[in-house]
Amino acid sequence: MPQQNQAEEAAIAASGITTFNNETEQGGGKEEDDETASVFSMKSLLWHGGSAWDAWFSCASNQVAQVLLTLPYSFSQLGMLSGVILQLFYGFLGSWTAYLISVLYIEYRTRKEKENVSFKNHVIQWYEVLDGLLGPYWKAAGLAFNCTFLLFGSVIQLIACASNIYYINDRLDKRTWTYIFGACCATTVFIPSFHNYRIWSFLGLGMTTYTAWYLTIAAAVHGQVEGVVHSGPTKLVLYFTGATNILYTFGGHAVTVEIMHAMWKPQKFKYIYLLATLYVFTLTLPSAAAMYWAFGDQLLTHSNAFSLLPKSRWRDAAVILMLIHQFITFGFASTPLYFVWEKVIGMHDTRSICLRALARLPVVIPIWFLAIIFPFFGPINSAVGALLVSFTVYIIPALAHMLTYRTPSARQNAAEKPPLILPSWTAMYVVNAFVVGWVLVVGFGLGGWASITNFVRQIDTFGLFAKCYQCPKPQPAPALAPQQQRH
C-alpha cells in the first residue's frame, strides 16, 4: 500500500497538480494512509469516508432519488425515442459540466494553497470557487442559483416522501404526511458534512437500485394495460416539460464541490461523475421504458410511477426503501445550505455538533413551508430544471471555465490541462459554447416556457396548499334501491 501511494503521489506531481491535505471541518487533518491504518475501526467504516469510492456512491446516489419515479411520466410526454435519446444526451452533458466544476475547484484550491491559505474547519463551496477565480459578481450569481436550487431540491424530497407513503397508508392525506416527514428530515442537521455520508450513500444507492428494477420487472409482469396508447409527443408544452425533467435528472452538481472537498484526494474526482452516470443509466432507462411500454398515456396524469402499479409486498418494500433514500437525499441537498447559513451567522468553525444542529434548524423551516404550498411532484421537477438547474449545472460552469482560461498565461499555468478526448483549448471552448447555447435556448427558454405553463395549470387545477395532490377521488356510496329505502 505505501508503494502504491508513492506511485500515485509521483503521478500527481508529474502532472503539475498540487496534492491537497484535506481536513474536515471538525479539525481532524487525516491522510489516506491514516484512513487505511484505521479502516477496521467502526467509525472509519461507517462514518468517516473520503475515498474515490465514497465520492462515486455519493454522486450516483444523489442522481437517482425521487426523479426515478417521474421519468416514466417524462417518457409519456416525450415518447419512447426522445426519452431514451435525451437521457443519454443530458447524462453525458451533465458529466462534462461536472468535469468542468472539478477542474475549476482544483484551480482555485491550487492557487489558494500557493498563498498558504488553510482550509482547516472550512468547507469550500461552489460560490467561493467562482469568487476566487472570477470575482464577487460571479460569487453572487453562483450563490443565488445554487442556494435556490438546493432549497427547491430539498422541497422536492419532502413532497416525494408524502407522495410515496400515501400508497402504503392513505388514512392520512399527503399534506399531513408532509408535516410528519418535515420533522423527520429536520434530523439531518446533526450530520456534520459529506465525510459522514459513507454508509448512507452506499445504502441509498442500493435502495434505488432495488426500486428501479422493481419498476422494470413489475411493469413487464403486469403487461400492457388494455387499450394502451403511446401517443407522445403530442404537445410542445408537454414535450419540453418532459425534456427539462430529464435535464434536472442529471443535474446533481449543486453538491459537487462539497463532495470533492470531502475527498482525501480531490484530483481523483475528474471522471467519477461520468462513471456514476453510466451506472445510473442502467437504472433509469429500463425502468422508464418498461413503465411507459406498460401504461402509455395513463402516465400523463400519474407523475408518480408507484400510483399505477398494484399494491403488493414488493411495491411496499420499494416505497419504504425509496422513503429512506429520500431522507438521505434531503440531507445531500440541505447540507450545503447548512454550510452557507453557518458561514453567514459565524458558526461554521464551531466543533460542537449540537450547537451547529441548533443553528441549522432555521434552514429547514422555509423548506417545510414551501413543500406544503407547492405539492406538485412532477411539474416542480421540470420548473426547477428549467429555471435553476440550467444555470447552476450547465451554463455557469461552462462560462466560468471559458473566462477562467481566457488568457494565454492562465492556460499555460493551468492546474489541469485539457483531457485526452479534447486535447486542445479551442476544442474545449467550442464544446463549452455549445453547452451554453443549447441549454440557454432549449433548457431555459423553451423548457422554462413549457414548465411554467404546466406548473400554473397545476395551481389552477389543484390550488395552493393542495391537501392531497393527484389522490384518487373517493367513490360515491351506491344508491339504495327503492325497496331498500322503504325498509
Side-chain angles (χ1 to χ4, degrees), residues 55-114:
W56 183 86
F57 277 113
S58 293
C59 289
S61 179
N62 191 45
Q63 279 193 52
V64 284
Q66 97 299 330
V67 77
L68 185 70
L69 306 176
T70 65
L71 285 174
Y73 167 67
S74 297
F75 268 49
S76 69
Q77 297 169 318
L78 293 163
M80 186 75 77
L81 181 62
S82 290
V84 172
I85 291 174
L86 285 175
Q87 273 206 45
L88 295 171
F89 176 71
Y90 281 123
F92 288 118
L93 204 65
S95 299
W96 172 252
T97 52
Y99 168 78
L100 297 180
I101 291 173
S102 72
V103 168
L104 293 173
Y105 169 87
I106 291 172
E107 183 68 39
Y108 169 78
R109 186 73 183 267
T110 302
R111 293 182 186 183
K112 290 299 180 181
E113 293 280 329
K114 290 178 179 177

Side-chain angles (χ1 to χ4, degrees), residues 108-389:
Y108 169 78
R109 186 73 183 267
T110 302
R111 293 182 186 183
K112 290 299 180 181
E113 293 280 329
K114 290 178 179 177
E115 297 171 6
N116 296 320
V117 175
S118 172
F119 292 104
K120 184 177 182 179
N121 300 333
H122 184 91
V123 176
I124 298 173
Q125 295 187 267
W126 176 229
Y127 72 90
E128 294 170 314
V129 173
L130 292 173
D131 183 30
L133 296 177
L134 297 171
Y137 292 110
W138 281 85
K139 172 186 176 181
L143 190 60
F145 278 108
N146 229 41
C147 287
T148 310
F149 170 36
L150 290 168
L151 178 72
F152 279 98
S154 303
V155 168
I156 288 168
Q157 301 311 316
L158 282 189
I159 297 171
C161 284
S163 177
N164 289 342
I165 193 63
Y166 184 79
Y167 298 115
I168 291 181
N169 184 341
D170 60 2
R171 289 190 292 275
L172 298 177
D173 58 75
K174 292 182 181 178
R175 188 168 65 193
T176 303
W177 280 119
T178 304
Y179 293 139
I180 294 171
F181 278 100
C184 294
C185 289
T187 59
T188 58
V189 298
F190 288 99
I191 302 177
S193 78
F194 285 97
H195 279 290
N196 313 115
Y197 273 97
R198 162 172 281 183
I199 189 63
W200 296 114
S201 298
F202 176 77
L203 292 176
L205 189 58
M207 292 167 186
T208 47
T209 299
Y210 171 88
T211 303
W213 285 107
Y214 159 74
L215 293 176
T216 305
I217 295 169
V221 171
H222 183 280
Q224 291 186 314
V225 295
E226 185 177 353
V228 65
V229 177
H230 301 90
S231 60
T234 56
K235 298 178 180 179
L236 285 177
V237 169
L238 294 179
Y239 187 87
F240 286 108
T241 300
T244 51
N245 186 42
I246 293 180
L247 178 142
Y248 169 82
T249 302
F250 297 98
H253 304 35
V255 296
T256 298
V257 171
E258 288 83 0
I259 291 174
M260 283 188 69
H261 191 79
M263 295 177 67
W264 306 125
K265 296 184 183 297
Q267 299 90 344
K268 292 183 177 181
F269 184 86
K270 287 183 293 184
Y271 305 113
I272 285 176
Y273 199 92
L274 174 61
L275 297 175
T277 299
L278 293 176
Y279 179 77
V280 167
F281 283 151
T282 69
L283 306 181
T284 58
L285 288 170
S287 60
M291 286 294 296
Y292 181 53
W293 169 82
F295 296 100
D297 287 359
Q298 287 188 22
L299 286 159
L300 288 170
T301 54
H302 295 79
S303 56
N304 189 325
F306 282 143
S307 63
L308 289 174
L309 292 168
K311 184 175 176 61
S312 68
R313 289 179 298 173
W314 299 103
R315 194 190 75 166
D316 288 352
V319 171
I320 292 170
L321 291 177
M322 185 57 72
L323 284 172
I324 299 171
H325 185 241
Q326 282 160 342
F327 166 82
I328 298 167
T329 308
F330 181 94
F332 269 115
S334 58
T335 297
L337 291 176
Y338 297 154
F339 291 157
V340 173
W341 178 246
E342 288 169 0
K343 293 171 184 176
V344 169
I345 64 174
M347 293 287 288
H348 191 58
D349 294 338
T350 304
R351 296 189 180 186
S352 169
I353 292 178
C354 291
L355 275 178
R356 294 180 73 190
L358 189 63
R360 291 172 170 188
L361 278 176
V363 178
V364 180
I365 296 172
I367 296 172
W368 207 348
F369 188 61
L370 287 169
I372 296 166
I373 298 177
F374 304 113
F376 313 128
F377 187 48
I380 198 172
N381 280 2
S382 299
V384 169
L387 304 180
L388 300 173
V389 175

